[in-house]
Amino acid sequence: AVVQWDPQKDKVFMEREVMERYGVTSRQFRDFLALVGDSSDNVPGVKGVGEKSAQQLMQRWESLDGIYAHIDAVAPESVKKKLRDHRDAAFLSKRLVSLKDDVPLDFSLEDFTPGSPARADLMRFCREQGFKSLLESLSQQWGEDIEEVSPSRADRRMMEIRVIEEAEGLEALVRHMARNSPFSIHVDTSSFDPMQSHIRGIALCCEEDRASYVPLTSAAPDDMPGRVRKGILNLKALEPLLTGKEMKKAGHNLKHDTVALMRHGMRLEGMVFDSMVGSYLLDPARGSHTIERIVEEILGESISAPVESRNRAKSSRKDAAGVDSRYSMEAACARAAAAWRIMPLIRHKLEETGQEFLFDSLEMPLISILAGMEHRGILVDAHHLRDLTVQFEEALQEKASTIYALAKEEFNIQSPRQLASILFEKLELPVIRKTKTGPSTDMSVLEELAPHHPIVEQVIAYRSLAKLKGTYADALPALIHPDTGRIHTSYNQTVTATGRLSSSEPNLQNIPIRTEEGRRIRRAFIAAPGHVLLSADYSQIELRILAHFSEDRHLVEAFQTGADVHLRTAAEMLNVPAHEVTPEMRRQAKTINFGIIYGMGPYGLAQRLRITSKLAKAAIEKYFEHYVGVRRFINECIEKARRQGYTETLLGRRRQIPELQSRNFNVRQQGERLAINTPIQGTAADLIKKAMIDVQGRLDAAGLRAAMLLQVHDELVFEVPEGELETVRNLVKEAMEAVWPLKVPLMVDMGTGQNWTEAHP
């Protein structure tokens, strides 16, 4: 018998499991795959034949040969035609999925009997590769001393840690740090969410291999002096050091530290260096910018706390979050010391790449603004959200009934397998793309299938509504802070490769703007009593940036004269007077305008407009015949990025594009799209960040109480006291439109209301 183990699900497949899952025996499985194919391994199969049809064919005629021997008896006629049309693909697929079973072998199964592990060699290999978690797991499994499996002491710098035990020592530390600016700081909190945690202590560093730790809670270790454990040192004693703008501070993820301190009534000032932000600017496409990874790459060292502290963690006193206090203290000091040491190295690299202006003038000042937005949060109407949950559930049931009527049976709409069975087997819609488990039913596939049957549009609507219900209507009430009654989203400054901000817990970027359901969710975000929400949204900023970069005379003229650029594009491409342009014509022109920014080719445009690729290609050519400057700009972007290896924004933000050097055509195409889009989208990101800094500066200078709450794409949302509304409206509009000199004017649409939907223009 043949047995297969699935390591991801830790499940063993034997004959019974194969029959239950696929409806065929293991001996029939090759022929089954020859029919359904496997897109992940480029096995074509018989186009249009899904699992259900293949099962029925195999159950009746047992094999691929048997099916084709009785091809005239196959029903329905549509399946017979598919089998005949794709006979060669079926037998080719069988050869592709068949293992070669006549290879001469000079060993026996006994040769593969597992022996004793070569522990020393395995540990050495894991240490060399930095597999720390695996090392610790092996240590526990084998009962080895953890020192034997930890990074060698040569890889970890020895550091002196001074624990501040009394008020006099704290005063001396404050004076010492003030004399040695810039110094680094790490706020040691009980959890990753600064709005839900308490501060255990603060680590400070201003010299090589030496750091100080100020415990601020009763979670100090048992072997510390009693007066420290009782918390006689409090945050107030550090206020001159933390809030003094003249004392410059470095760190890693200073936004987290700032929010944590604001939560405790204090604001961190004088921030000049954040290693996480610096690392992000140097390599924005990297997935992780942890201090541990940065130190390992730049210094070739580990900053994990000493082994003896981790060993002692098993028996020593834990704090309220279950963390060993001494281990936490030493880890905090290690991070503060690491940030201090790598500060000049990262700054030097930023200067080499010409990004020091971006770092000092944009990203670093933004940290304090984002921290203020996260700390303030936005008020939410929980009653409205609960009502939405009920309303969305009722709407989902209605949509489900419509889908069942069209399918003439009930099924799990959210199940890809059951949905595929309805679409591709029962309704016989064309299979667009296959996955390992059968025909794909993802959103891109459904959008392509929409013209073929009305059920597809209903399924798309059902899925979209179900996602909104689960992600927002159901989830948002649980995210309301118990003390503030507000939602405090986290702004991610070091995630997107283009420089745009993203948000999480909750993600506010994905709430639809133009759908009724999205507007109903936005109504839950409300102004405080006596206040209104003010929305300021850049109008077509990416197209305006395209006009600036390309200097295309038609685009520049359109924006300088205030013309409707989409309507004008439609009129010029279709050779019709502007007054004859229909809303559908304008929509198509808008799709083309924005598609050009994102490097969309004929296939992508055809999908969006639901036209043939030939017509889409002709439309793009017609566009470039008119907007000659845009074509020139695109070609120059691609060529410059290929030559330099990177592209950059108006303010100097860089993004490496190694895809342009790939031998794979599809990867190179992706690189070309990035080379076109990144300068435009990245510049838009830079400009709205600068606008946030400029607006906040003006609000502070004017002594206004209005507060910036949200940043979503090209929109800023403010909470404004009713008496300040007109002043703030004018201030924000003026600052945003004057953010940077372009060859075309920047325009900002303004709106106000008691909730976000009312305010959005």
Side-chain angles (χ1 to χ4, degrees):
V2 177
V3 177
Q4 179 180 341
W5 173 55
D6 182 345
Q8 292 185 333
K9 299 180 180 178
D10 193 20
K11 182 177 180 180
V12 175
F13 275 79
M14 299 182 71
E15 187 68 35
R16 180 169 58 85
E17 285 76 16
V18 173
M19 178 61 75
E20 289 177 353
R21 167 62 182 85
Y22 297 103
V24 296
T25 68
S26 59
R27 293 182 180 277
Q28 294 176 305
F29 194 65
R30 284 189 305 172
D31 297 56
F32 174 78
L33 278 181
L35 291 170
V36 301
D38 187 345
S39 61
S40 63
D41 288 330
N42 291 321
V43 178
V46 175
K47 189 173 182 180
V49 172
E51 287 190 10
K52 191 171 182 180
S53 296
Q55 290 167 3
Q56 293 171 350
L57 291 167
M58 296 298 294
Q59 288 165 6
R60 183 170 183 184
W61 289 295
E62 296 188 352
S63 68
L64 195 65
D65 289 331
I67 293 170
Y68 279 97
H70 300 85
I71 189 68
D72 292 336
V74 171
E77 193 65 33
S78 60
V79 175
K80 181 193 300 182
K81 184 177 186 306
K82 291 170 185 175
L83 288 168
R84 282 177 168 162
D85 290 348
H86 300 284
R87 185 183 189 283
D88 291 344
F91 283 96
L92 170 63
S93 297
K94 183 172 180 177
R95 290 200 301 275
L96 290 174
V97 300
S98 297
L99 294 176
K100 190 171 179 61
D101 57 7
D102 57 354
V103 177
L105 304 176
D106 57 359
F107 50 78
S108 65
L109 289 176
E110 287 72 22
D111 294 330
F112 293 93
T113 302
S116 300
R119 297 185 180 185
D121 292 340
L122 180 56
M123 289 181 180
R124 187 181 308 109
F125 174 78
C126 289
R127 282 198 296 272
E128 291 171 354
Q129 302 302 319
F131 298 158
K132 299 173 185 176
S133 298
L134 178 56
L135 282 168
E136 295 192 11
S137 174
L138 292 175
S139 172
Q140 295 174 3
Q141 179 181 339
W142 293 340
E144 300 279 348
D145 189 331
I146 196 170
E147 177 65 27
E148 295 298 318
V149 297
S150 297
S152 67
R153 290 184 182 276
D155 294 335
R156 188 194 314 111
R157 294 175 70 95
M158 300 304 294
M159 181 175 59
E160 176 188 348
I161 296 177
R162 180 189 175 202
V163 180
I164 305 304
E165 301 177 347
E166 53 190 14
E168 292 79 4
L170 182 59
E171 293 171 2
L173 175 66
V174 171
R175 291 193 298 271
H176 178 66
M177 291 294 164
R179 291 193 302 268
N180 289 277
S181 173
F183 58 85
S184 64
I185 179 173
H186 179 84
V187 178
D188 184 19
T189 57
S190 59
S191 77
F192 291 113
D193 182 356
M195 287 299 298
Q196 301 283 354
S197 62
H198 67 268
I199 297 177
R200 287 193 291 245
I202 293 180
L204 301 162
C205 178
C206 65
E207 53 197 309
E208 196 85 6
D209 301 329
R210 183 178 181 183
S212 300
Y213 186 85
V214 183
L216 296 173
T217 74
S218 59
D222 289 332
D223 55 355
M224 286 186 179
R227 54 180 172 272
V228 175
R229 293 200 308 275
K230 293 176 181 176
I232 67 164
L233 301 180
N234 58 63
L235 193 58
K236 193 71 175 175
L238 284 169
E239 186 170 15
L241 195 67
L242 300 176
T243 62
K245 293 183 179 181
E246 69 285 356
M247 287 176 274
K248 308 305 180 187
K249 299 152 191 91
H252 185 87
N253 194 5
L254 287 172
K255 178 168 67 68
H256 169 275
D257 296 351
T258 305
V259 176
L261 289 169
M262 292 180 75
R263 176 87 174 122
H264 290 74
M266 194 175 298
R267 191 178 190 110
L268 187 65
E269 300 284 3
M271 293 178 283
V272 296
F273 178 82
D274 189 315
S275 54
M276 185 170 75
V277 174
S279 171
Y280 167 70
L281 280 181
L282 293 173
D283 189 1
R286 173 189 285 173
S288 170
H289 298 278
T290 64
I291 187 68
E292 291 83 0
R293 178 169 178 175
I294 296 170
V295 169
E296 285 180 0
E297 291 188 0
I298 294 180
L299 302 177
E301 298 173 7
S302 168
I303 64 166
S304 56
V307 172
E308 53 271 17
S309 292
R310 283 184 284 170
N311 281 336
R312 198 161 48 235
K314 298 175 183 178
S315 59
S316 64
R317 183 167 179 255
K318 307 288 181 69
D319 72 1
V323 178
D324 173 66
S325 301
R326 181 168 293 281
Y327 175 72
S328 172
M329 174 192 74
E330 292 178 347
C333 288
R335 285 161 173 73
W340 189 82
R341 289 181 61 213
I342 62 179
M343 174 169 51
L345 303 176
I346 290 182
R347 181 165 284 284
H348 177 67
K349 290 185 177 183
L350 290 169
E351 292 170 355
E352 283 185 333
T353 57
Q355 297 186 92
E356 69 275 17
F357 169 80
L358 197 68
F359 181 79
D360 292 328
S361 302
L362 201 72
E363 297 292 353
M364 285 305 301
L366 189 66
I367 293 173
S368 182
I369 294 173
L370 294 177
M373 293 164 65
E374 289 185 16
H375 178 256
R376 186 176 184 93
I378 185 167
L379 200 61
V380 175
D381 186 344
H383 296 292
H384 177 73
L385 289 172
R386 283 193 284 270
D387 290 342
L388 271 188
T389 294
V390 175
Q391 294 166 18
F392 283 176
E393 181 59 36
E394 292 173 351
L396 284 172
Q397 291 175 5
E398 290 179 8
K399 290 183 184 297
S401 297
T402 302
I403 292 169
Y404 297 153
L406 290 168
K408 294 183 172 57
E409 68 174 272
E410 293 191 7
F411 63 100
N412 183 354
I413 302 169
Q414 295 287 52
S415 167
R417 187 171 299 158
Q418 293 186 35
L419 178 60
S421 177
I422 294 293
L423 297 180
F424 306 116
E425 295 173 15
K426 183 170 186 176
L427 300 178
E428 298 184 348
L429 300 184
V431 175
I432 306 299
R433 187 169 63 251
K434 289 186 177 181
T435 67
K436 286 186 176 181
T437 57
S440 171
T441 59
D442 66 21
M443 287 297 280
S444 63
V445 167
L446 292 180
E447 288 170 358
E448 192 168 345
L449 286 173
H452 293 271
H453 198 285
I455 194 174
V456 182
E457 287 282 10
Q458 295 297 324
V459 170
I460 291 174
Y462 183 94
R463 276 192 180 177
S464 300
L465 182 56
K467 184 176 181 180
L468 286 178
K469 178 180 179 293
T471 305
Y472 297 107
D474 295 348
L476 286 178
L479 296 176
I480 298 174
H481 198 286
D483 296 337
T484 67
R486 293 173 175 250
I487 281 180
H488 302 265
T489 189
S490 178
Y491 284 100
N492 307 309
Q493 194 177 355
T494 60
V495 171
T496 68
T498 59
R500 281 197 177 274
L501 295 170
S502 65
S503 66
S504 54
E505 297 295 322
N507 178 0
L508 300 179
Q509 311 281 351
N510 288 346
I511 304 176
I513 297 175
R514 310 199 184 284
T515 68
E516 175 56 30
E517 292 81 8
R519 288 191 288 268
R520 289 163 73 185
I521 290 171
R522 286 177 170 230
R523 286 193 189 98
F525 296 85
I526 60 176
H531 294 68
V532 294
L533 294 184
L534 169 68
S535 169
D537 193 4
Y538 275 121
S539 172
Q540 301 175 333
I541 187 171
E542 291 182 348
L543 283 175
R544 293 172 189 271
I545 291 169
L546 174 62
H548 172 84
F549 276 133
S550 68
E551 299 181 337
D552 183 273
R553 65 183 183 88
H554 293 292
L555 268 186
V556 170
E557 181 187 359
F559 284 120
Q560 286 179 340
T561 59
D564 182 332
V565 69
H566 302 313
L567 186 148
R568 186 164 178 169
T569 297
E572 290 165 343
M573 289 185 63
L574 298 172
N575 294 320
V576 298
H579 67 273
E580 293 183 11
V581 173
T582 66
E584 177 59 20
M585 292 177 182
R586 184 184 182 279
R587 184 191 70 81
Q588 292 182 343
K590 181 178 180 180
T591 301
I592 296 173
N593 277 329
F594 283 107
I596 294 299
I597 292 175
Y598 290 95
M600 187 183 295
Y603 177 77
L605 184 62
Q607 294 294 102
R608 293 287 185 90
L609 295 180
R610 295 181 180 174
I611 59 178
T612 66
S613 293
K614 184 177 180 179
L615 286 175
K617 183 178 181 181
I620 292 175
E621 287 300 319
K622 181 76 172 177
Y623 180 93
F624 283 137
E625 285 174 8
H626 187 75
Y627 295 107
V628 179
V630 175
R631 182 194 286 271
R632 182 181 62 251
F633 164 72
I634 287 175
N635 292 337
E636 289 174 353
C637 276
I638 295 171
E639 179 54 35
K640 186 177 180 181
R642 183 177 286 117
R643 184 176 65 253
Q644 296 180 154
Y646 64 86
T647 187
E648 58 187 347
T649 68
L650 186 62
L651 275 65
R653 183 185 304 276
R654 287 191 182 185
R655 178 180 183 178
Q656 302 293 323
I657 309 184
E659 293 88 347
L660 288 173
Q661 307 304 322
S662 174
R663 294 182 179 180
N664 183 294
F665 175 78
N666 291 331
V667 175
R668 285 200 311 276
Q669 290 286 95
Q670 172 66 9
E672 292 182 2
R673 288 191 291 271
L674 294 176
I676 299 166
N677 170 248
T678 299
I680 298 172
Q681 194 177 83
T683 296
D686 291 346
L687 294 186
I688 197 161
K689 286 179 176 179
K690 188 174 186 302
M692 294 169 73
I693 295 168
D694 292 351
V695 168
Q696 190 61 54
R698 295 194 185 197
L699 290 175
D700 292 342
L704 296 167
R705 293 178 295 139
M708 197 182 308
L709 300 187
L710 303 177
Q711 190 276 325
V712 178
H713 303 305
D714 304 319
E715 177 186 13
L716 298 178
V717 179
F718 302 82
E719 189 172 56
V720 185
E722 292 174 350
E724 294 181 359
L725 180 57
E726 201 57 37
T727 300
V728 173
R729 186 204 301 269
N730 294 334
L731 180 154
V732 170
K733 185 175 178 65
E734 181 182 337
M736 290 180 69
E737 293 183 345
V739 68
W740 198 266
L742 299 180
K743 295 180 177 67
V744 297
L746 287 172
M747 301 295 291
V748 175
D749 296 325
M750 311 286 289
T752 60
Q754 290 301 312
N755 60 63
W756 193 3
T757 295
E758 291 178 0
H760 186 78

